[in-house]
Amino acid sequence: MKGTAWQLLLLFLGCWLDIWSTGWAQGQAGIQKKTKLTDGRDSTQTETPSSLTFTASTDQRFFFFNDTRNENDKLTPVSVYGVRAGFLFPAKHKRSALESGRAASFKAGAGFYFVNQHLDQPGLLPNTSAAVTRHLRIATVFYERYLYRKGPFEISLPTEIGYGHSRYEVAEPDREVEVARGIFIPVGVGVSMAYQFPYVRWFKPLRWFGLYFLSGYRFVLKKDIPESQINYSGLYVSVGPSFFLENFTADVKSWARHRKERRREKARN
């Protein structure tokens, strides 16, 4: 497992080197150009974007930590809440699977996640037999390469690495007492699929929304409390509604541009 972890870490770092050596040059050149992600009409028939496009979303996941089990020793899901923000990078070379107005080659950025979890499992922490409350805060950077992004569908492979802080407390009368804290480094790999609701000419906001599914595995390169039985490794899954910020901003820009053009035509007449 450790050998695999370091191989994935090297792969992830290699992806980020590629981002900053090639994607940065594209972003700098794109500052002088107009983004052509969409013109406010059908996003499946517009031109390929020529500059970076900002994107952001909430991200709720269900993690199956190896230290969180029920009375039958079965893994139980833990809700992890977070947000992600980054940029869509246009493709440097033509790819048939990306031939549409949503033809970004990959997405890269950062995220933040938090967990507040009650654990009634004596023995997880050394010298602690009482129930504890776990507080996790995790900052991540991610690289997400698109395998398919055409029309309303997209498939991608997200990879992320993070820096996490943990704090454990036990309840005493009128206060919480900290019993342990630490730093850990998680790495995750997975597959993501999304569907954008179809374009309707008389109701453009519909294409701002869709559905997504994400599943993967997260393991820890460095444990926060090595002498404990704490283990954040395990599968994760996420499914639910999705908001396409890039479609929203493209429609707003298109509306503002068309409004400005109508004002100019009215002034000339």
Side-chain angles (χ1 to χ4, degrees), residues 98-111:
L98 304 177
E99 292 179 352
S100 76
R102 310 182 65 239
S105 179
F106 64 89
K107 176 168 58 176

Side-chain angles (χ1 to χ4, degrees), residues 50-67:
S50 59
S51 62
L52 304 186
T53 303
F54 179 74
T55 181
S57 64
T58 57
D59 189 8
Q60 180 186 5
R61 303 181 185 182
F62 296 96
F63 274 87
F64 292 86
F65 294 142
N66 284 334
D67 62 15

Side-chain angles (χ1 to χ4, degrees), residues 108-176:
F112 178 79
Y113 300 86
F114 67 92
V115 184
N116 297 316
Q117 179 190 5
H118 180 76
L119 289 168
D120 190 11
Q121 300 183 45
L124 286 179
L125 293 171
N127 303 320
T128 303
S129 59
V132 297
T133 299
R134 169 159 62 193
H135 304 278
L136 302 183
R137 303 294 182 265
I138 309 168
T140 65
V141 290
F142 68 87
Y143 171 87
E144 186 170 344
R145 180 160 180 89
Y146 287 105
L147 301 181
Y148 184 89
R149 199 167 198 255
K150 197 171 183 179
F153 297 99
E154 66 180 46
I155 302 174
S156 60
L157 298 177
T159 306
E160 61 186 5
I161 185 170
Y163 177 87
H165 177 271
S166 65
R167 188 177 78 257
Y168 286 82
E169 299 175 339
V170 296
E172 290 191 356
D174 301 325
R175 64 171 183 160
E176 297 283 340

Side-chain angles (χ1 to χ4, degrees), residues 40-239:
R41 295 189 290 273
D42 190 345
S43 63
T44 65
Q45 298 178 354
T46 54
E47 299 179 63
T48 301
S50 59
S51 62
L52 304 186
T53 303
F54 179 74
T55 181
S57 64
T58 57
D59 189 8
Q60 180 186 5
R61 303 181 185 182
F62 296 96
F63 274 87
F64 292 86
F65 294 142
N66 284 334
D67 62 15
T68 304
R69 299 174 180 271
N70 59 20
E71 295 81 2
N72 299 321
D73 199 35
K74 292 185 178 180
L75 295 173
T76 58
V78 178
S79 294
V80 179
Y81 300 92
V83 293
R84 297 204 311 168
F87 292 93
L88 299 172
F89 287 71
K92 294 187 297 182
H93 307 290
K94 186 176 181 180
R95 293 169 57 191
S96 59
L98 304 177
E99 292 179 352
S100 76
R102 310 182 65 239
S105 179
F106 64 89
K107 176 168 58 176
F112 178 79
Y113 300 86
F114 67 92
V115 184
N116 297 316
Q117 179 190 5
H118 180 76
L119 289 168
D120 190 11
Q121 300 183 45
L124 286 179
L125 293 171
N127 303 320
T128 303
S129 59
V132 297
T133 299
R134 169 159 62 193
H135 304 278
L136 302 183
R137 303 294 182 265
I138 309 168
T140 65
V141 290
F142 68 87
Y143 171 87
E144 186 170 344
R145 180 160 180 89
Y146 287 105
L147 301 181
Y148 184 89
R149 199 167 198 255
K150 197 171 183 179
F153 297 99
E154 66 180 46
I155 302 174
S156 60
L157 298 177
T159 306
E160 61 186 5
I161 185 170
Y163 177 87
H165 177 271
S166 65
R167 188 177 78 257
Y168 286 82
E169 299 175 339
V170 296
E172 290 191 356
D174 301 325
R175 64 171 183 160
E176 297 283 340
V177 178
E178 182 179 299
V179 293
R181 67 164 55 204
I183 300 297
F184 62 97
I185 300 178
V187 172
V189 293
V191 59
S192 174
M193 293 176 284
Y195 172 76
Q196 173 187 301
F197 289 149
Y199 173 82
V200 177
R201 183 172 296 278
W202 56 268
F203 189 64
K204 292 181 180 180
L206 185 62
R207 77 186 194 100
W208 301 348
F209 303 94
L211 301 172
Y212 78 97
F213 171 81
L214 169 68
S215 182
Y217 190 88
R218 171 173 284 189
F219 49 91
V220 177
L221 296 181
K222 176 187 178 300
K223 290 186 64 175
D224 52 349
I225 308 173
E227 64 274 15
S228 72
Q229 298 183 40
I230 300 299
N231 191 341
Y232 306 134
S233 298
L235 296 171
Y236 64 85
V237 64
S238 180
V239 60

